[in-house]
Structures are given as C-alpha cells and as structure tokens.
Amino acid sequence: MTPAELRASIPALDETVYLNTGAHGPSPRRVVDRATQFLEYHEYVSPSEEGPYPTAFDAYEEVREDVAAFLGAETEEIALTQSTTDGINRLATTLDWSPGDVVVRTDLEHPAGILPWRRLKQEGVEVRVVESERGRLDMDQYAEAVQGADLVCFSAVTWNYGTRLPVREMADIARDAGALSLVDAVQAIGQFPVDVREWGADVVAAAGHKWLLGPWGAGYLYVQREVAESLEPHAVGYRGVKEPTSDTMEFEPGAKRFEIGTTNPAPHVALREAMDLNRAIGFDRIERQISTLTAQFVDAVPEGRLVSPPDPESGLVSFTVDDSELAVERLAADGVVVRTIPEPDAVRASFHAFNDESDVEALLAGLDDHW
C-alpha cells in the first residue's frame, strides 16, 4: 500500500486537511469494517455456536500474539488494556507504595504520565521531576534524580516537542539505580519501528488510536516477563488468574495477570488490521513521508516561531503564533485540523504518511495571518 492509497482509504480525509494524528489517528475504512464484522459475529452468531466467551478469548489471544510480534516481545509479555493511561495506571496501582518511596518523571510528560504520580504524592510518595530544555534532557541531571528511586516514567517521543528521548540509555540508568522503567510509547509506535528488547525498558504502555490509526479502546501493555512475574496486581479479575473459581488465587503467567474482566474485543481485533496496514505500507515509506512533510513545513516557518527542533525527529512539530486558540479555530473553520498545546503555549501539527504536500501548503496558507 502506498501513502496515496492509505489516504484514499480514510473517510475522515474526504473534506478535511487532518494534521492531528498526535491526538487521534483517523481510521481507514477497512479497520472500522473489521471491528464491525467482529462485533456482529460476536453478537449475532457466536451465542448459538462456540459462544461469546470463547470467541472473545480466542480474539484476545490472537491480538496478544500480533502485538508481541509487532513489538519484538513474547506473547506472555503483553496485556490488553483500554489505553495508554489505563496501562500506566495498572502498573502504578500494582506496586506497593509507602511514604518516602520515589517516582521520577520528566517535565515533558502527557497528563497520562503525571496524574498517577500526583495521586501518589498525596499519599507521601516523593515525585522528582527532571526539567528539560526545549524537549531535551540533561542526562547527568536525570541520572542524579534516579538515584534511590523506585520507578522512572518517561515518554519515547515527547508529545509537546516531538523529540525522541534516549530510551535505552534512560532504561539502563534506571536499572543500574535499582528502579523500574515505564515508557509511554503511544507517540512512537506507528511512526517508526519499535523493538522493546532493544529499548530494554521494564514496562511499555501504548495504544493503537494514534499513529497506528486504530480505534479507541485498543491499548496494550508490555511487561518484561521477569518483572511481571514479580508483581501481584491489586485489581484482579477472571482474565488475570488461572482458575477464577478456585479457593486459591494463582495469577496468569506474565503480563496477562494485568487483564481484569469483560471488555469488548472489537477494538483490539481492529488493531490487528491496523498493524497489518502499517506493515503493508512499511516503516521506510512511513518515515520517509513524515520526514519529507515536516521538512517542507519547518523550512517555511518564520524565524523564531519554531518550538520543535529545526531538524524534526518525528511527525510532531510545534510552533508559536500570535494567538494559539484563535489560529486553531480559524484553521478548523477552513477545514485544517491542528491543536494547541499548553506547555509551551504553542500550536502542534502532526504529519503522518497519509498526509501530502498539499496539506502542508494548506496549513501554511492558513497561518499567513497568524505569524
């Protein structure tokens, strides 16, 4: 599949210049069709055949296998969740926290990587925040902050600057300090290849509704097998234990212990279709298209307006205008969809493989009166 063919398969693009994949990636028709087909089969056919529960459980297992293969993990290292936030919270609520325990995060995190620790801070857990400079971290400061920590949380690709953080280096530093590493990967997976083994992180949380162009509700959580086996989730349901009706409770091996109860399998079934589409296009072509479009846009941004690096590291590019809210509203009225971000106060455009040069030109034309 070519980027042009991908574009033609997404109904949301028929009358819109969509440059907001960093918030939500519009799904191709075949992805939505796959969810619909499964839901109809599950509700209309399976009750009189193999049954809704076996149908769902078979689907869960197939999705785990595909996500594991996509990320370079083992199937038992994948748990199915509802979102990135859900995955982060499943780990946060599993660990036994005591006053004086330490969490480290960066100041580049999305609220998904801030709010769980803010809650723990109310209970006496120390939260250390590593400050950044234009989307970059001082690794010496990071290493110092991690000393004595129990958990480190950071993003693979920052949602506000579009910069890539050195995941392997940060995970190694955390491990050497005796801390677990938790990576928010939702802005990375689908933009470029991700191999969780190469990253070396203990836990990776993500979802398919951004750069993979899947539906909402298809989150997933990678937990390195030995780490998973050492944890006992506080939230427990029949999907996370071997024998739900047993007098004793034995958790499922690996990450599956983090799954809880009845959820609709359709979004995850559609995620499989979205991953297949991603493979059909190929990461080389995806990265090349994103690089071409971001370079075209950045080259036209007036001096002093760019917030992201002048050599973009992802499809996320942030920039300042005279009035962010007004600019986004007027762009939307003209059919160009971008968004504001709060820190720094800026506008963010997201360029994906389905975008083309005409989208960049439309955005630049719409911004002429706002520089």
Side-chain angles (χ1 to χ4, degrees):
M1 175 175 280
T2 67
E5 290 170 334
L6 174 64
R7 182 186 184 94
S9 74
I10 302 175
L13 306 181
D14 289 349
E15 298 180 3
T16 300
V17 175
Y18 192 84
L19 297 166
N20 197 24
T21 299
H24 162 81
S27 292
R29 187 177 299 279
R30 62 186 267 190
V31 171
V32 176
D33 286 348
R34 186 69 186 92
T36 302
Q37 290 163 6
F38 177 85
L39 184 60
E40 289 181 349
Y41 181 86
H42 186 262
E43 298 302 318
Y44 300 161
V45 180
S46 73
S48 61
E49 295 196 359
E50 69 269 41
Y53 282 88
T55 299
F57 273 69
D58 287 347
Y60 296 146
E61 191 61 29
E62 290 171 352
V63 175
R64 287 191 210 97
E65 291 173 0
D66 270 12
V67 172
F70 200 77
L71 299 180
E74 298 176 11
T75 300
E76 289 186 345
E77 293 178 314
I78 300 298
L80 304 183
T81 66
Q82 302 302 295
S83 64
T84 307
T85 303
D86 182 23
I88 291 173
N89 272 277
R90 294 200 194 190
L91 182 74
T93 56
T94 290
L95 300 175
D96 289 321
W97 299 99
S98 300
D101 288 343
V102 177
V103 172
V104 175
R105 68 167 179 87
T106 77
D107 65 354
L108 297 166
E109 302 312 308
H110 183 274
I114 295 176
L115 295 175
W117 322 126
R118 185 173 293 168
R119 175 65 180 271
L120 289 174
K121 187 175 181 180
Q122 297 173 356
E123 300 172 6
V125 172
E126 179 185 353
V127 180
R128 300 173 186 167
V129 181
V130 182
E131 296 183 355
S132 61
E133 180 65 32
R134 296 184 68 86
R136 308 283 187 203
L137 296 177
D138 182 311
M139 295 310 294
D140 289 335
Q141 291 181 7
Y142 168 77
E144 182 178 352
V146 170
Q147 296 304 310
D150 299 278
L151 176 74
V152 178
C153 179
F154 59 90
S155 297
V157 173
T158 61
W159 73 296
N160 39 14
Y161 290 89
T163 49
R164 298 194 195 188
L165 298 186
V167 175
R168 180 77 206 203
E169 182 180 1
M170 295 176 72
D172 286 347
I173 290 172
R175 182 171 295 105
D176 290 343
L180 289 175
S181 54
L182 168 57
V183 180
D184 177 343
V186 75
Q187 297 290 2
I189 298 172
Q191 287 207 64
F192 50 83
V194 170
D195 186 321
V196 292
R197 297 292 184 207
E198 292 181 2
W199 272 2
D202 296 305
V203 183
V204 176
H209 67 276
K210 296 184 187 291
W211 300 90
L212 283 174
L213 309 182
W216 286 30
Y220 45 95
L221 184 69
Y222 160 81
V223 187
Q224 197 270 339
R225 186 183 180 105
E226 288 73 19
V227 172
E229 299 287 354
S230 70
L231 300 174
E232 294 190 357
H234 289 183
V236 183
Y238 67 88
R239 281 170 58 188
V241 297
K242 285 189 173 182
E243 296 292 340
T245 58
S246 173
D247 291 337
T248 60
M249 186 167 62
E250 184 178 359
F251 287 103
E252 286 278 14
K256 197 158 68 169
R257 64 186 58 200
F258 290 96
E259 297 183 14
I260 301 172
T262 306
T263 58
N264 182 1
H268 282 102
V269 170
L271 174 64
R272 296 182 68 202
E273 190 74 23
M275 290 188 294
D276 285 346
L277 272 174
N278 188 278
R279 295 186 187 98
I281 301 166
F283 277 119
D284 288 346
R285 187 175 284 168
I286 292 171
E287 290 186 277
R288 185 165 57 249
Q289 184 78 350
I290 289 174
S291 178
T292 297
L293 298 178
T294 54
Q296 178 189 351
F297 177 70
V298 165
D299 287 347
V301 174
E303 184 176 357
R305 292 292 192 175
L306 196 62
V307 172
S308 296
D311 185 8
E313 299 173 15
S314 70
L316 300 170
V317 181
S318 297
F319 51 93
T320 61
V321 292
D322 292 338
D323 186 328
S324 298
E325 296 288 347
L326 179 62
V328 169
E329 288 176 7
R330 288 183 174 176
L331 284 165
D334 292 334
V336 180
V337 180
V338 292
R339 65 158 292 175
T340 60
I341 54 172
E343 294 181 11
D345 179 9
V347 175
R348 189 189 73 187
S350 307
F351 301 94
H352 201 355
F354 60 74
N355 294 118
D356 61 21
E357 293 181 0
S358 69
D359 293 340
V360 180
E361 293 168 359
L363 174 59
L364 290 169
L367 289 170
D368 274 345
D369 295 332
H370 299 280
W371 296 121

